[in-house]
Amino acid sequence: MPESPRAAASPPSTEKATARTEAPRVAVASLVGTTIEYYDFAVYGTASALVLGPAFFPSGNPTVSSLAAFLTFAAAFLSRPLGVVLFGTIGDRLGRRQALVASLLLMGVATVGVGLLPTYETAGLLAPVLLVTLRLLQGLSMGGEWGGAVLLAAEHAPPGRRALYASVPQAGPSLGFLLSSAVILPTLHLAGRDGFGDWAWRIPFLLSTVLVVIGLWVRTTVSESPVFRETAHRTAPVGGPVPTSRFPLATLLKRYPGRLLLGTGAAIGGSAVYYLTIVYSLSYGPKELGIPQNTMLTAASIGAAAGIAITLPAARLSDRIGRRPVMLTGAVGCVLWAVPMYASLSSRDAWVITGAYTVGLMLLALMFSPVAAFLPELFPARLRYSGASAAFILANTLGGGFAPLVATWLNSRWDSPLVLGFYTGALCLLSLLCLLALPETRDQDFDA
């Protein structure tokens, strides 16, 4: 909701001191919202791997159905840049909190809508058209979610703990996946594979209603970013926040194109690791290698939990020794481990796959935990929402959104899980090179 002129004109130093005491609650509020957003996204990704192809894109060729379902998964990534423009402008001009509330509401409406859709058998071509439309709305929402969540937490953080607080919402993607698995696995077990494909797949989507209501309540109870308020106070009269640029993203592209490209590259490898492990392999393992679906979901869930366990320690370490050393360690590890991780699928052994995924997702946490502070620190406060969001979302789109499609095509030509490792390792190598080209940002003046 809009801030009153009186609130906008309050002394910045007083507001900042008050906001620091709110930092833990703000971080948790950011985590709740991000978890819900990624729950919605993970539910769709898992449903794509299990049932959405036959339900909305019937075909005699299973590969064609899978490609069509993953194409709708990728469609949401195409609309993410539009979300960056929309919510980045709102977040940099009107406030981080307003953008976050709007993005969460949009995601909730789109996700529940998917759960209510008729299938191709009932509605014909209208069904996939509506599905793609709702996916585009989900992507629009995600374009504003990540940047706002980490910024709200980082800009409330006390000195010397910026990465620690920013990394709290960074656990949201893995928590969202775990939450989706906690709903999907028992639903799949109780309804059976046929029942899940017929009707029970809708349950995880419809349950999003409850989660969104909780998330909206949490997010509307926290205060606006003190850094945003202070910059607005410095640049605006009593009338309220009036930033210097009407279109922050245009200013960003003009002044910081190099940092935007390198920041995108720094996050692209981790995006590939996450989406190939959490989304694509859940379909590839059972369909192509005969690995039980529960084995793949359990391996990915245990790996995600291990990644969550080291997210905060890795962030705290980056507050002490710098962002780059921690992220570079994770990037090198992902380059070296990518091939062994996906080669483990050839064993078809639950313990081997779980162990390989656990190591891989822990290395991913080393890359992605500090990035929540690293990317915002690359840009000034007035362009930070747009800059951090654009870098992360572009990396997610190029490295993650199209990863299932690329992997499906690669495996249609070379029927081996090794190609997943080589593909992922190449993108992680790109991230490593971009990190080497970027400066250390731990001591960056975050109020500037």
Side-chain angles (χ1 to χ4, degrees):
M1 60 186 63
E3 305 291 337
S4 68
R6 180 177 179 180
S10 301
S13 58
T14 302
E15 289 191 359
K16 185 178 293 187
T18 301
R20 298 305 187 216
T21 65
E22 279 193 292
R25 187 160 64 91
V26 171
V28 171
S30 296
L31 172 63
V32 169
T34 305
T35 299
I36 293 169
E37 291 257 9
Y38 275 91
Y39 164 84
D40 294 343
F41 225 68
V43 163
Y44 189 93
T46 304
S48 295
L50 297 178
V51 298
L52 293 188
F56 288 89
F57 306 95
S59 169
N61 187 329
T63 300
V64 173
S65 291
S66 294
L67 276 170
F70 284 133
L71 185 60
T72 64
F73 181 80
F77 289 82
L78 293 176
S79 61
R80 281 189 179 194
L82 295 177
V84 171
V85 176
L86 174 62
F87 293 106
T89 301
I90 295 173
D92 282 328
R93 286 178 55 81
L94 303 178
R96 320 312 195 195
R97 190 180 63 172
Q98 292 191 65
L100 281 173
V101 169
S103 70
L104 182 59
L105 182 60
L106 180 61
M107 174 62 84
V109 170
T111 302
V112 173
V114 172
L116 296 173
L117 281 181
T119 62
Y120 184 90
E121 184 180 1
T122 303
L125 288 175
L126 179 62
V129 169
L130 291 174
L131 180 65
V132 172
T133 300
L134 291 174
R135 282 297 289 162
L136 291 174
L137 291 179
Q138 280 190 323
L140 193 70
S141 167
M142 289 296 290
E145 170 59 30
W146 183 86
V150 300
L151 275 189
L152 201 63
E155 292 180 343
H156 277 83
R161 297 195 172 190
R162 191 182 304 143
L164 176 64
Y165 280 86
S167 72
V168 173
Q170 195 67 336
S174 293
L175 281 175
F177 170 73
L178 289 176
L179 186 59
S180 73
S181 296
V183 173
I184 289 174
L185 279 173
T187 303
L188 187 60
H189 175 73
L190 293 173
R193 186 63 186 258
D194 291 339
F196 190 85
D198 288 340
W199 60 272
W201 64 269
R202 300 177 184 276
I203 294 174
F205 289 96
L206 298 177
L207 283 177
S208 181
T209 305
V210 178
L211 299 175
V212 169
V213 170
I214 295 172
L216 288 173
W217 175 76
V218 170
R219 282 196 167 171
T220 54
T221 61
V222 300
S223 65
E224 181 56 85
S225 156
V227 175
F228 174 81
R229 284 177 177 253
E230 183 170 345
T231 56
H233 181 78
R234 288 201 306 260
T235 59
V238 178
V242 183
T244 55
S245 174
R246 291 179 60 84
F247 302 103
L249 188 61
T251 304
L252 176 78
L253 293 172
K254 180 179 179 180
R255 296 184 183 178
Y256 301 97
R259 288 203 168 191
L260 178 59
L261 288 175
L262 289 173
T264 299
I268 200 169
S271 296
V273 173
Y274 179 82
Y275 284 103
L276 284 178
T277 304
I278 299 299
V279 177
Y280 177 75
S281 68
L282 299 185
S283 171
Y284 174 75
K287 290 182 179 178
E288 302 298 330
L289 301 175
I291 302 170
Q293 190 72 62
N294 284 354
T295 296
M296 294 304 305
L297 280 170
T298 301
S301 297
I302 292 174
I308 292 172
I310 69 165
T311 292
L312 295 185
R316 188 68 185 113
L317 182 62
S318 79
D319 277 329
R320 292 176 177 172
I321 67 173
R323 319 297 185 218
R324 291 173 78 249
V326 179
M327 295 174 68
L328 286 170
T329 300
V332 170
C334 285
V335 170
L336 297 176
W337 190 248
V339 171
M341 178 167 66
Y342 294 112
S344 71
L345 296 175
S346 296
S347 73
R348 297 175 175 81
D349 184 277
W351 291 103
V352 173
I353 297 170
T354 300
Y357 274 30
T358 298
V359 173
L361 291 175
M362 289 177 73
L363 291 170
L364 171 63
L366 291 179
M367 288 182 67
F368 260 25
S369 179
V371 84
F374 182 69
L375 291 182
E377 288 166 347
L378 291 174
F379 306 101
R382 295 183 193 128
L383 303 173
R384 189 169 290 146
Y385 200 124
S386 298
S389 295
F392 190 79
I393 293 307
L394 284 173
N396 260 228
T397 300
L398 299 175
F402 291 99
L405 284 174
V406 174
T408 301
W409 178 79
L410 288 173
N411 275 299
S412 70
R413 302 197 62 182
W414 298 282
D415 187 16
S416 169
L418 291 177
V419 299
L420 303 180
F422 289 119
Y423 170 57
T424 306
L427 291 181
C428 289
L429 179 60
L430 175 61
S431 290
L432 175 63
L433 296 175
C434 289
L435 282 170
L436 290 172
L438 285 166
E440 177 57 60
T441 60
R442 179 185 57 162
D443 298 322
Q444 177 74 26
D445 180 6
F446 212 48
D447 295 341

